[in-house]
Amino acid sequence: MVLAVNKYDLIEQLEKENGFVDEPMTQSYLENFAYENGFSGIFRTSAKTGGNVTNAFSLLVREILKRKAEQEENDEHEDNYHSARKQSVTLNKIKADSKKSKKG
């Protein structure tokens, strides 16, 4: 997940006019919030100027593609495990049948 904080242009304006912004608007507060809530990135964006919008969406798309590749890799490993397990069960059955036929 990517955290996009909109109205960045207004936040910058407030910082210039007042010399500060309320704590929830500060970069350190936003970074802590993003980290504590599992966001992979944070961007202060502006729909008005377009600032950081492309960067936020680029990171979001990269994260989606990364998770998809990881999921496909996990699915492949799981398929390989089940296939190997099935082969093992089949081999054990063949061995058991072979022992029975030698005894009989």
Side-chain angles (χ1 to χ4, degrees):
M1 284 190 298
V2 175
L3 178 60
V5 181
N6 202 19
K7 304 287 185 183
Y8 179 67
D9 52 304
L10 294 178
I11 295 169
E12 282 186 326
Q13 183 180 344
L14 285 172
E15 285 176 324
K16 286 178 185 175
E17 290 174 0
N18 301 333
F20 70 94
V21 293
D22 293 334
E23 183 183 9
M25 302 286 189
T26 64
Q27 189 67 24
S28 62
Y29 179 89
L30 295 171
E31 287 172 358
N32 287 336
F33 178 86
Y35 176 77
E36 290 171 2
N37 291 282
F39 289 93
S40 57
I42 178 171
F43 294 90
R44 291 167 92 179
T45 62
S46 171
K48 180 178 179 180
T49 67
N52 267 340
V53 173
T54 301
N55 294 337
F57 277 101
S58 294
L59 179 60
L60 180 61
V61 169
R62 284 194 305 272
E63 287 293 317
I64 290 169
L65 294 174
K66 178 182 169 186
R67 288 183 184 184
K68 183 179 180 198
E70 289 171 353
Q71 183 62 47
E72 287 173 354
E73 186 176 317
N74 288 341
D75 290 348
E76 184 179 320
H77 288 305
E78 190 173 312
D79 289 345
N80 289 342
Y81 169 79
H82 289 296
S83 178
R85 181 74 179 134
K86 187 176 180 180
Q87 288 174 354
S88 176
V89 169
T90 302
L91 287 174
N92 287 340
K93 185 176 183 327
I94 291 170
K95 287 178 185 177
D97 289 348
S98 176
K99 285 181 181 179
K100 285 181 185 176
S101 66
K102 286 181 181 178
K103 287 183 179 179

